[in-house]
Amino acid sequence: MSIFTKIINGEIPCYKVAENDDYIAFLDINPNAKGHTLVVPKKEENKIFDLSKEEYLALMDFSYQVAEALEKAVPCNRVGLSVIGLEVPHVHVHLIPINNMADMQFMKKEKLTDDEFTALAERIAEKFQ
Ligand code: AMP
């Protein structure tokens, strides 16, 4: 079982931003930038192109809605999108409010306190509809 399935099952906590029957979005705990969010299908699949085309398009549709909320809630130049990384074998879309290209490089990381994560997630969740 992946760490993201444990989050989906409520076994470990997350800073939730949005959720529906099939997808969940929560803050990345080691963010490239403030508001860095992961969008995850509740059905555990390893790789994005393991998804059916319908599931893939539905994931992108949900990610679009989350990105709109991010743009409203987090001051940034734009929201970047990336499907990358080998760490967690459970599909996840990275949505990252960026101000420069380094924000997309997964090298420079932001440190946030628990209170900052909580407040940020609440602010984004308020803008999600
Ligand atoms: P990757 O598979 O390389 O895209 O990396 C997985 C991403 O998930 C990284 O950006 C981690 O910071 C993030 N991550 C890992 N565990 C958690 C967690 N428990 N809550 C939120 N984000 C996580």
Side-chain angles (χ1 to χ4, degrees):
M1 188 193 293
S2 80
I3 187 153
F4 294 162
T5 295
K6 289 184 182 157
I7 288 175
I8 290 158
N9 292 344
E11 290 167 40
I12 59 173
C14 72
Y15 300 100
K16 190 164 75 179
V17 162
E19 183 174 18
N20 71 8
D21 286 347
D22 298 320
Y23 303 95
I24 186 168
F26 50 86
L27 295 180
D28 192 306
I29 35 145
N30 189 22
N32 290 14
K34 281 198 179 69
H36 183 165
T37 296
L38 302 176
V39 186
V40 180
K42 291 186 177 177
K43 183 176 150 209
E44 185 175 329
E45 290 278 6
N46 182 357
K47 297 172 285 175
I48 190 153
F49 297 116
D50 288 343
L51 299 176
S52 69
K53 201 167 181 184
E54 289 70 26
E55 289 165 339
Y56 167 82
L57 292 173
L59 172 64
M60 286 301 147
D61 186 58
F62 192 75
S63 300
Y64 185 104
Q65 294 172 54
V66 175
E68 284 187 315
L70 278 174
E71 284 201 328
K72 288 178 193 151
V74 184
C76 62
N77 186 291
R78 64 189 58 202
V79 173
L81 182 156
S82 179
V83 178
I84 195 171
L86 300 167
E87 193 189 310
V88 178
H90 185 151
V91 177
H92 49 286
V93 174
H94 293 265
L95 294 176
I96 307 168
I98 62 171
N99 289 300
N100 52 64
M101 287 302 283
D103 291 335
M104 288 305 290
Q105 285 171 359
F106 297 85
M107 312 274 281
K108 182 178 66 78
K109 294 292 182 174
E110 285 270 339
K111 286 267 173 286
L112 277 78
T113 64
D114 179 54
D115 285 350
E116 287 171 327
F117 273 121
T118 302
L120 192 53
E122 277 173 15
R123 215 163 75 218
I124 300 163
E126 271 170 24
K127 300 290 182 192
F128 180 81
Q129 40 212 329

